[in-house]
Amino acid sequence: MDRDSMCILPLSAKMEDHQLVDVSEIDEDDAFEPIEKLTNQGINAGDVKKLQDAGIYTCNGLVMHTKKSLTNIKGLSEAKVDKILEAAEKIVHVGYVTGNEVLQKRKSVVRITTGSQALDELLGGGIETLAITEAFGEFRTGKTQIAHTLCVATQLPLSMHGGNGKVAYIDTEGTFRPDRIVPIAERYGMDPNAVLDNIVYARAYTHEHQFNLLLGLAAKMTEEPFRLLIVDSITALFRVDFTGRGELAERQQKLAQMLSRLIKIAEEFNVAVYMTNQVIADPGGGTFVADPKKPAGGHVLAHASTIRLMLRKGKGDQRICKIYDSPNLPESEAVFQITAGGVADCKD
Ligand code: ATP
Ligand code: MG
């Protein structure tokens, strides 16, 4: 791509002297309650440590656990768990709230630019925190390229439609390319090395490994401000690890557990979850559809995703994104382009 075509990229303003991930810019309302606060409510430090060892680092995360899963933690009796939950509920609110309070909470939603204004508008402003955005489509439709662009965009300040936060990237297909991050960071005038330092990356080889990586994230997200979690792709390892017909129920159950963990992370830490998905042939797609395809993962995935995006190829580098399912967005389309500097608007 030449320099002239760089000029059509939407965010012409460059970052100047901006410190990546400026902690002072982080909203107070965003803050989660650290698990150590339980000690103020009479829970002893030893029991707090047991919770941390089990991957629970915030009171917000604690109340998302079932009693059964907490009593499975070594050294925590049912009576202790009751006391712990009672203490946690004094710190975080778990009951009914008014519609206005929900509205207030929704104000903490951050919308991260995708790099294309047309795509951002389609999404109502960008990829949202407190939600799971799923992108599915055939190979080379841009799912992974969107992920790479988001890795950079998330680190932009809020004033540039960024998330002012770090990125966690779980790669199940081995397609993360740090060298792709470099020109995208340069497009925004950011130091590529600093941008790469703010991405924590893990390659997962089995669905169990993928789940354990999610459990390990809570500790990292408590320590540093994260705004995006990428899982590329969510379904690939499940389709490899469970092949037999008789394994379908188990596969869907494990997938549901993984997705439940993802939505809890989104809500606990106010992060956006961007996950990609593959498509499978849909023989029930209808006689009038030439090449019927549907997203993998069935109903379990359909219910877990807040926003589902269907990607397809257009002319040349162009890609078309359609809202497939969303609680508040109309079913419309946007056209974007994959450039050296990442996802961008089309030139014409
Ligand atoms: P898969 O299902 O195989 O994972 P995907 O939807 O993740 O596919 P991507 O890897 O996001 O597909 O997109 C690949 C497309 O991105 C290719 O068509 C490629 O031409 C384009 N692309 C990759 N790098 C660049 C670049 N530097 N400049 C322009 N286009 C690029
Ligand atoms: Mg890909």
Side-chain angles (χ1 to χ4, degrees), residues 1 135-148 173 175 179-180 183-184 232-233 274 276-279 311 313 316-317 319 337-343:
M1 199 169 75
F136 68 88
E138 287 186 60
F139 66 102
R140 293 181 45 202
T141 48
K143 304 180 293 290
T144 302
Q145 293 301 314
I146 293 176
H148 281 73
E173 299 185 341
T175 51
D179 41 306
R180 259 319 263 128
I184 305 175
D232 184 19
S233 80
Y274 171 78
T276 67
N277 188 14
Q278 299 163 322
V279 285
L311 299 176
K313 279 179 222 153
D317 295 337
R319 299 290 183 272
Q337 198 176 352
I338 305 173
T339 71
V343 167

Side-chain angles (χ1 to χ4, degrees), residues 185-229:
E186 285 168 351
R187 161 190 175 182
Y188 289 107
M190 297 161 99
D191 171 9
N193 277 322
V195 169
L196 285 166
D197 270 343
N198 282 331
I199 301 170
V200 299
Y201 169 87
R203 172 83 163 96
Y205 292 95
T206 66
H207 74 280
E208 284 137 350
H209 188 193
Q210 190 178 338
F211 191 69
N212 289 338
L213 286 169
L214 287 183
L215 294 182
L217 266 182
K220 290 197 185 306
M221 291 194 172
T222 316
E223 280 160 19
E224 292 174 301
F226 278 80
R227 213 38 95 222
L228 176 70
L229 164 59

